[in-house]
Amino acid sequence: MALSTWLAFFAASWAISFSPGPGAISAMASGLKYGFRHGRWTILGLQLGILCQLLVVAVGLGALLATSEPAFTAVKWIGVAYLVYLGVRQFRTDAAPVAVEARPADGHPIRDQLAHGYLVNITNPKGTMFLLAVVPQFLNVGQPLPIQYVIIGATLCFTDLVAMTCYTSLAARILHLLRQPRHVRWLNRGFGALFILAGTVLATLSHKE
């Protein structure tokens, strides 16, 4: 991959990573609930989801989503259902004040946060379609493709890691202001509504978009 090509993709990756979406909402919700120290596991899960999406594109399954209406629809509605589920759960989260250094509550181990972040990204077919549309533009088919996919994956994960860290850190800083249960309640309801909104927007996505 030529340096100029990589720089172009690097610039595009920042725009992709910082664009609002389910991943950003998930990162902020995690930062709000757990603080930055423990919310970072959700960020790692999001990166695993991105890598899986890229792998899907690399092996050609992305083409199946692009050409198969049933496959696209199935993945889309799984994503819609999961985002709405997250929204309802966040909406009903306990309104007790939280501390910046609070540990994840029992029943929410690290593996659950990893799975949460992973599922948020992997069940979003729009992300796969976006990668399918963008990534080929930066590939040099005359050169070995595996190393190019590695470079693209590492670049996208780096920019998304920075973006999600910023979102999580920003939400965690809000913890200092949460002195009353009603403040936490309204923030949880706000994030819950955003998850449900993201699911609603995903539901309107057509196979031709």
Side-chain angles (χ1 to χ4, degrees), residues 155-203:
T155 301
L156 189 55
C157 279
F158 171 75
T159 58
D160 195 72
L161 183 65
V162 172
M164 296 305 107
T165 297
C166 289
Y167 281 127
T168 302
S169 179
L170 176 63
R173 289 178 183 275
I174 298 176
L175 291 173
H176 293 289
L177 305 177
L178 305 182
R179 302 304 182 188
Q180 298 182 29
R182 63 187 179 88
H183 295 156
V184 183
R185 183 179 298 112
W186 283 109
L187 278 173
N188 282 331
R189 288 177 177 178
F191 279 115
L194 286 175
F195 272 122
I196 294 173
L197 177 62
T200 302
V201 171
L202 180 59

Side-chain angles (χ1 to χ4, degrees), residues 34-118:
Y34 301 118
F36 177 75
R37 180 180 177 185
H38 298 290
R40 61 189 177 183
W41 294 109
T42 299
I43 299 176
L44 179 56
L46 290 169
Q47 306 318 305
L48 293 175
I50 288 176
L51 288 176
C52 261
Q53 282 186 318
L54 185 60
L55 181 61
V56 164
V57 172
V59 300
L61 291 181
L64 175 62
L65 292 181
T67 58
S68 172
E69 181 75 29
F72 179 89
T73 301
V75 174
K76 181 183 78 170
W77 286 108
I78 290 174
V80 169
Y82 186 64
L83 288 173
V84 171
Y85 161 74
L86 291 177
V88 172
R89 191 176 69 173
Q90 186 75 25
F91 200 89
R92 300 175 61 184
T93 297
D94 185 16
V98 290
V100 175
E101 295 301 326
R103 293 183 177 276
D106 292 339
H108 294 85
I110 290 174
R111 65 175 178 273
D112 283 359
Q113 293 185 63
L114 288 171
H116 163 77
Y118 173 81

Side-chain angles (χ1 to χ4, degrees), residues 130-141:
F130 185 83
L131 287 176
L132 186 64
V134 172
V135 168
Q137 301 179 38
F138 298 94
L139 294 175
N140 182 350
V141 295

